[in-house]
Amino acid sequence: MTQLINNDLLGTQNQSLESGLKSDYTALGEKLARSDINIEAILQKAKAFSIAVPSWGVGTGGTRFARFPGQGEPRNIYEKLDDCSVIQQLSQATPAVSLHIPWDRPSDPNELRQYADQYGLMFDAMNSNTFQDQANQENSYKYGSLTHTSQAVRDQAIAHNIDVVELGQKLGSKALTIWVGDGSNFPGQQHFKNSFAQYIDSIKQIYATLPNDWNMLLEHKIFEPAFYSTVIQDWGSSYLAAKETGERCLSLVDLGHHAPNVNIEMIVSRLAQFGKLGGFHFNDSKYGDDDLDSGSINPYQLFLVFNELTDIQLENPSYSPFYMLDQSHNVTDPIESLMYSAAEVQRAYVKSLLVDRKALAHYQQTNDPMMAQATLKQAYNLDVEPILQMARFQSNGAIDPIACYRESGYRQQCAQARPVDPNKTGSGII
Ligand code: LRH
Ligand code: MN
């Protein structure tokens, strides 16, 4: 397998940290054993955990005001895969990449698949794009796409999604994520029922062409780019559309797509209870769809989301939703942010495995709110860093990915190899 970070450097870095890790791990193991928890069993689950990285996340993100390009930014899908391979080599938790079409459309899908294979990378859910107009596109998406009042525009958007599925099949993907920004900026501008009916009619046509082993993931979002109403504005609209469309049409929860303080962990529980929770876009936010690093603002919410997921998986062990990071890295090195964020999501998952669920059920049943919340906090307050480090170490990753990455000088090498394109400043998320 091709690996872009020198393995001797990785080995030397790990060696300097190994003994500290082993004593921390042993101490945590003893502490967990006192609660009848076998740390080795938790470690195996931590090693099996994976989350996909967004191809658009390895470039520097921006806002509508400005984008400040970083050093050595990837200029095409191949360089994006190079960077994704570094994230996987060091974190050992991100073996799959989620592409966005047409941003990542390859001229030769087989060549792209082989390029990914050399790094042991796979392709996760494919993302279609009918929220931007492409050059020489016949119909504009200014007033919508899958919900547009014109059948011709809807047909164009449907055809694009079907085309993305066909490309995804060549790349080995097994899911299509549909996020549309369709909505309105003024009361009266859009007919709520008609636009929702047009959305459902459109996705049914896409679903009819979906391979039998694929899922279709519907992503809701409260606002932006529309600022008065959004057709798929909340989990309810997503659930209704998924229910109407078919068994393998499910809802995807992007954590940043809710109003501040919405109880996202309860939405997770609801969608799962009715068999429609298909996947996640993990990130964090304080105000809007800020696309900040996962766990950087509200790590307890991330833990509470995984607390629900682990509860669901106890009942249904085969339940495995699509996990993906969906972030915009405006001021950090995207590779560092994606490695750190993957570990933060893995951390929330591991902590959720340490919840004493028997005790929690007892305190819930006997209406003891103090002890119920204390039971969750007991797991959340545990420092599981030794388990995350051991998982990486035993998988030939880096005990300290960011230190190893910085020591490697990979970014500086990219800065040499990928001179900044002075014309590509502009603004926007990519
Ligand atoms: C919309 C979204 C969606 C992607 C886009 C890059 O806000 O979360 O998942 O298509 O970001
Ligand atoms: Mn998203």
Side-chain angles (χ1 to χ4, degrees):
M1 189 192 299
T2 308
Q3 295 187 311
L4 298 179
I5 302 296
N6 178 291
N7 268 314
D8 297 341
L9 175 134
L10 176 54
T12 310
Q13 283 264 327
N14 280 349
Q15 216 162 27
S16 65
L17 299 168
E18 189 178 346
S19 61
L21 166 58
K22 287 192 169 155
S23 66
D24 292 348
Y25 184 80
T26 305
L28 178 59
E30 287 162 3
K31 179 180 177 67
L32 294 178
R34 291 196 294 274
S35 307
D36 299 327
I37 297 173
N38 171 359
I39 193 171
E40 285 304 316
I42 303 295
L43 176 66
Q44 293 319 312
K45 289 192 170 175
K47 288 167 77 172
F49 179 86
S50 70
I51 183 164
V53 292
S55 62
W56 60 95
V58 286
T60 303
T63 72
R64 60 183 169 167
F65 298 105
R67 191 182 79 89
F68 302 96
Q71 287 298 308
E73 288 205 77
R75 299 163 298 179
N76 54 56
I77 184 57
Y78 294 91
E79 292 179 349
K80 289 179 183 178
L81 291 181
D82 295 343
D83 294 1
C84 290
S85 78
V86 168
I87 297 166
Q88 169 57 7
Q89 182 186 355
L90 300 181
S91 75
Q92 289 297 315
T94 59
V97 180
S98 187
L99 300 185
H100 219 301
I101 307 298
W103 296 339
D104 302 319
R105 184 184 296 284
S107 48
D108 179 343
N110 293 328
E111 181 193 61
L112 184 67
R113 190 165 185 172
Q114 279 154 26
Y115 195 86
D117 278 350
Q118 68 169 325
Y119 293 130
L121 291 175
M122 300 166 289
F123 291 105
D124 199 80
M126 303 291 288
N127 296 270
S128 59
N129 177 342
T130 59
F131 52 85
Q132 294 171 323
D133 287 345
Q134 306 306 321
N136 57 42
Q137 184 177 299
E138 191 175 342
N139 301 298
S140 171
Y141 293 134
K142 179 175 180 179
Y143 294 112
S145 60
L146 296 174
T147 76
H148 198 286
T149 53
S150 147
Q151 184 67 55
V153 179
R154 298 201 299 274
D155 289 347
Q156 178 182 279
I158 292 165
H160 166 69
N161 278 278
I162 293 172
D163 172 53
V164 171
V165 171
E166 282 162 11
L167 172 59
Q169 282 184 280
K170 295 184 182 122
L171 298 172
S173 174
K174 292 294 183 197
L176 169 70
T177 297
I178 302 179
W179 170 69
V180 293
D182 296 21
S184 67
N185 280 4
F186 297 89
Q189 175 188 343
Q190 189 171 52
H191 192 285
F192 294 152
K193 183 174 74 58
N194 293 350
S195 55
F196 192 37
Q198 274 140 205
Y199 175 83
I200 293 173
D201 176 64
S202 296
I203 61 169
K204 278 183 173 176
Q205 292 181 49
I206 301 165
Y207 187 80
T209 71
L210 204 68
N212 294 336
D213 58 350
W214 274 55
N215 284 107
M216 179 193 279
L217 306 173
L218 309 181
E219 184 177 2
H220 60 273
K221 182 174 181 179
I222 185 166
F223 82 102
E224 189 202 45
F227 294 101
Y228 167 65
S229 73
T230 294
V231 179
I232 307 302
Q233 182 160 46
D234 55 24
W235 73 275
S237 303
S238 175
Y239 173 81
L240 291 169
K243 194 100 178 97
E244 279 291 304
T245 301
E247 201 182 327
R248 290 173 289 107
C249 184
L250 307 171
S251 298
L252 180 142
V253 176
D254 183 313
L255 272 60
H257 288 187
H258 306 86
N261 308 323
V262 161
N263 189 326
I264 297 173
E265 55 272 22
M266 194 165 82
I267 293 172
V268 168
S269 171
R270 288 279 183 282
L271 287 169
Q273 184 171 354
F274 292 87
K276 282 297 182 187
L277 181 63
F280 289 84
H281 283 178
F282 289 106
N283 48 55
D284 214 332
S285 51
K286 197 166 177 57
Y287 306 104
D289 185 22
D290 310 338
D291 281 339
L292 299 174
D293 291 11
S294 299
S296 63
I297 304 291
N298 191 348
Y300 194 51
Q301 175 179 264
L302 189 57
F303 163 76
L304 293 174
V305 166
F306 274 93
N307 176 50
E308 294 302 325
L309 287 165
T310 295
D311 188 62
I312 295 157
Q313 279 163 337
L314 280 173
E315 260 180 51
N316 172 5
S318 64
Y319 174 70
S320 64
F322 288 82
Y323 291 154
M324 193 188 92
L325 296 169
D326 183 4
Q327 302 172 180
S328 180
H329 310 111
N330 303 355
V331 294
T332 57
D333 182 318
I335 290 178
E336 294 187 353
S337 274
L338 287 164
M339 291 191 298
Y340 197 84
S341 300
E344 285 307 293
V345 178
Q346 192 182 28
R347 186 187 311 279
Y349 166 62
V350 168
K351 287 185 177 197
S352 75
L353 298 173
L354 302 177
V355 171
D356 181 342
R357 294 194 180 275
K358 201 156 154 289
L360 181 63
H362 168 70
Y363 295 128
Q364 288 171 338
Q365 196 54 36
T366 57
N367 300 306
D368 185 341
M370 173 47 69
M371 288 314 296
Q373 71 102 11
T375 303
L376 283 185
K377 275 291 183 64
Q378 185 185 14
Y380 178 72
N381 293 334
L382 282 167
D383 176 7
V384 298
E385 182 63 17
I387 293 174
L388 304 181
Q389 292 185 351
M390 189 61 83
R392 293 192 290 267
F393 178 58
Q394 289 191 355
S395 309
N396 302 318
I399 292 173
D400 184 339
I402 291 182
C404 184
Y405 170 71
R406 290 187 175 190
E407 185 65 27
S408 76
Y410 179 80
R411 179 57 66 192
Q412 291 71 19
Q413 291 157 26
C414 289
Q416 297 301 317
R418 306 167 182 174
V420 171
D421 169 350
N423 309 319
K424 207 165 171 273
T425 53
S427 64
I429 63 166
I430 59 156

